[in-house]
Amino acid sequence: MKRFSLIALLLFTVVSFAEAQSYRRYSPYDRDYSSYDRRSSDRRYSSDDRRYSSYDRRYSSYDRRPRYDRYSYSRSRYKKEDYRGRSYLGVKASGNHSLLINKTLPVELGLAPEYDGGLVFNFSLGNVLSLQPEILYSRNSLVTYSRGGDLKTTTSSIDVPVLFRFSFGNKTQFFINAGAAARYALETKERFAGGMEQTTDYEGQDFDQRTTYGAAGGMGIALNSYGGQFFIEARGYYPMGSFRDGWLEGSENRRLNVGLSLGYLARFGR
């Protein structure tokens, strides 16, 4: 009996020892595997966190950047156009009327509408100032009533004004012109009340005999577009002398021309 108890105790001890060895062999693996799970999961989630945090930083910095893209491009395309400082070439046509200044004769003046028109050049000298020479064909008449009868005097000429133009504004501009003009006479017709007409042709005369000069100036409004501008202008011409006779005396009769013109100037250059 004693021997049987000893054998049973020995078997119990061996089994217990085997179970203990088995536990020691598998439990480290389990612990390592569980730590691997924790480590890999932590690394996976932390890397995801870093990825999403960098995404957030990238898009938050994108939000802080100025918005380009097609929106800024479209705004730049539709920014306010600057119409100042441009040069133009165009045409104009106007109606005019003549008045007599320093009238020394006992006559009354009548209505005598005429016309002129031609080429207009406008060369920019800055955002405000420009030089505007013109070449115009002009007709102007003077109608006088007196005891000796009615008389209508019509003069045809080539006018060459050279003006400085001051423009104020951008798309809609107010402008002032001031300068000098030369008038090269072509012919003069005098028509009397009875219907008789007399024509004076200056073709055989020298340049200084048929050319007068004076002051010209006016003001108007221009409406600009991308390709050019429409304008309306009121202008006057005041004769001051001729190349043959020099300056007019203060007591001499002077024919003042006033007119209203419409025109279009096409943009060229800048």
Side-chain angles (χ1 to χ4, degrees):
M1 186 69 180
K2 188 180 293 185
R3 183 180 300 178
F4 178 77
S5 299
L6 183 60
I7 294 171
L9 179 61
L10 182 61
L11 288 174
F12 177 79
T13 303
V14 169
V15 171
S16 298
F17 180 79
E19 287 293 332
Q21 292 296 324
S22 174
Y23 176 79
R24 290 181 61 187
R25 184 168 63 247
Y26 287 105
S27 62
Y29 174 78
D30 293 339
R31 286 193 299 272
D32 291 340
Y33 186 79
S34 62
S35 63
Y36 171 78
D37 285 342
R38 288 194 303 272
R39 187 166 60 249
S40 61
S41 63
D42 292 343
R43 187 162 55 246
R44 182 173 67 250
Y45 285 108
S46 62
S47 62
D48 289 342
D49 291 341
R50 286 195 298 272
R51 184 172 71 245
Y52 284 109
S53 63
S54 63
Y55 176 85
D56 294 339
R57 287 195 299 273
R58 183 170 69 250
Y59 278 90
S60 62
S61 63
Y62 174 82
D63 292 337
R64 290 193 296 271
R65 286 182 303 181
R67 296 228 178 230
Y68 153 74
D69 318 359
R70 60 180 182 273
Y71 300 107
S72 61
Y73 177 70
S74 62
R75 286 197 300 270
S76 66
R77 286 184 59 193
Y78 296 105
K79 67 180 181 181
K80 186 177 180 181
E81 187 75 24
D82 189 359
Y83 298 96
R84 302 171 302 168
R86 295 182 174 182
S87 297
Y88 298 95
L89 169 64
V91 295
K92 62 175 280 188
S94 59
N96 65 66
H97 177 66
S98 296
L99 303 172
L100 196 61
I101 305 298
N102 293 342
K103 185 174 64 174
T104 59
L105 300 175
V107 295
E108 296 295 331
L109 300 179
L111 184 63
E114 287 293 350
Y115 62 89
D116 58 64
L119 296 175
V120 180
F121 306 88
N122 189 281
F123 302 104
S124 173
L125 302 177
N127 287 339
V128 175
L129 180 63
S130 61
L131 181 65
Q132 182 169 304
E134 303 174 359
I135 302 175
L136 310 173
Y137 173 77
S138 176
R139 282 172 57 94
N140 56 85
S141 295
L142 185 67
V143 176
T144 57
Y145 304 108
S146 64
R147 293 181 180 181
D150 301 340
L151 175 64
K152 180 180 181 180
T153 305
T154 303
T155 301
S156 302
S157 62
I158 300 295
D159 294 357
V160 183
V162 179
L163 309 171
F164 288 101
R165 172 171 165 172
F166 301 87
S167 302
F168 307 96
N170 188 20
K171 187 168 186 179
T172 301
Q173 294 181 343
F174 170 76
F175 64 86
I176 299 173
N177 284 333
R183 175 166 288 177
Y184 183 76
L186 300 176
E187 66 175 16
T188 298
K189 292 183 178 181
E190 294 178 321
R191 185 173 184 178
F192 299 93
M196 184 179 66
E197 187 174 291
Q198 179 179 345
T199 301
T200 302
D201 192 348
Y202 300 101
E203 185 175 353
Q205 297 187 14
D206 295 335
F207 175 83
D208 59 346
Q209 294 177 326
R210 56 196 297 185
T211 306
T212 60
Y213 53 83
M219 62 181 64
I221 295 175
L223 301 177
N224 288 287
S225 63
Y226 179 78
Q229 67 174 220
F230 292 93
F231 69 90
I232 180 171
E233 178 191 5
R235 183 183 295 182
Y237 169 75
Y238 183 73
M240 303 181 68
S242 67
F243 288 98
R244 183 187 64 182
D245 301 325
W247 294 91
L248 292 174
E249 298 293 335
S251 60
E252 295 186 52
N253 293 327
R254 306 188 188 197
R255 184 182 295 186
L256 174 65
N257 298 112
V258 293
L260 184 66
S261 61
L262 294 172
Y264 177 76
L265 302 178
R267 176 185 178 185
F268 75 94
R270 178 182 178 273

